[in-house]
Amino acid sequence: MQRISEQFNYLDQQVEKLATLIRSSNNFTALTGHHIRSDASKDPAKSIMGLKGLHESKLLKTVITTNFDNQHRKSGIPDNHLIELHGNMCTSKCTKCGKIIDNASLANQSSQITSCDTAGCEGVYKSTFKQMAETID
């Protein structure tokens, strides 16, 4: 039992060190991947909601993720503080003005190519999701 207690004490010390580093940082950024959703008993996962809480507390500046499942956006992390390296399977972006829309809004379109609805823009919407062989922007 003493060994388990020592392990918990060590873990508590490491968590406190991490918390101190985060609080003293001016530009704390989180890099996440598919393991962030290993606790996905709720939608979105508790770990992602933890990141949102850190962002709302002004401790976390940016989230960089390899996830493309829309969970970070659904949590409420703002687009301008979220970098989705592989894009997002639920969004499309205008090739000219950069406006991002939810793909659900394109579902009723009869054409495969959808023109941007921003006044004066002549761009088209393209999925932000990157296939394995595509270059990451």
Side-chain angles (χ1 to χ4, degrees):
M1 289 301 243
Q2 183 177 357
R3 183 174 167 96
I4 292 173
S5 177
E6 290 171 1
Q7 290 174 342
F8 279 116
N9 286 338
Y10 175 77
L11 182 60
D12 286 343
Q13 291 170 0
Q14 296 306 307
V15 167
E16 188 54 43
K17 282 183 185 178
L18 178 60
T20 299
L21 286 171
I22 291 171
R23 284 190 295 268
S24 65
S25 174
N26 292 324
N27 199 15
F28 176 55
T29 298
L31 176 61
T32 71
H34 73 278
H35 291 293
I36 190 97
R37 295 212 52 234
S38 62
D39 71 346
S41 58
K42 293 186 178 179
D43 193 25
K46 291 177 186 175
S47 51
I48 294 173
M49 295 308 291
L51 292 174
K52 178 188 177 200
L54 286 170
H55 182 268
E56 289 175 341
S57 299
K58 307 287 189 230
L59 294 171
L60 177 65
K61 302 295 184 210
T62 305
V63 175
I64 302 170
T65 184
T66 59
N67 292 347
F68 50 85
D69 59 5
N70 205 42
Q71 294 303 307
H72 289 82
R73 281 181 196 272
K74 281 176 68 175
S75 77
I77 295 172
D79 291 346
N80 60 335
H81 293 273
L82 178 62
I83 300 170
E84 296 169 307
L85 293 176
H86 296 290
N88 184 314
M89 65 184 184
C90 298
T91 61
S92 291
K93 184 177 182 178
C94 176
T95 56
K96 189 169 181 185
C97 72
K99 179 180 177 180
I100 296 175
I101 61 166
D102 190 317
N103 287 342
S105 65
L106 298 177
N108 296 330
Q109 301 292 327
S110 58
S111 172
Q112 291 282 50
I113 299 175
T114 305
S115 298
C116 181
D117 56 355
T118 300
C121 181
E122 297 174 359
V124 295
Y125 289 113
K126 181 180 180 233
S127 175
T128 63
F129 180 67
K130 302 293 183 192
Q131 300 293 331
M132 292 301 279
E134 286 185 88
T135 302
I136 297 173
D137 299 333

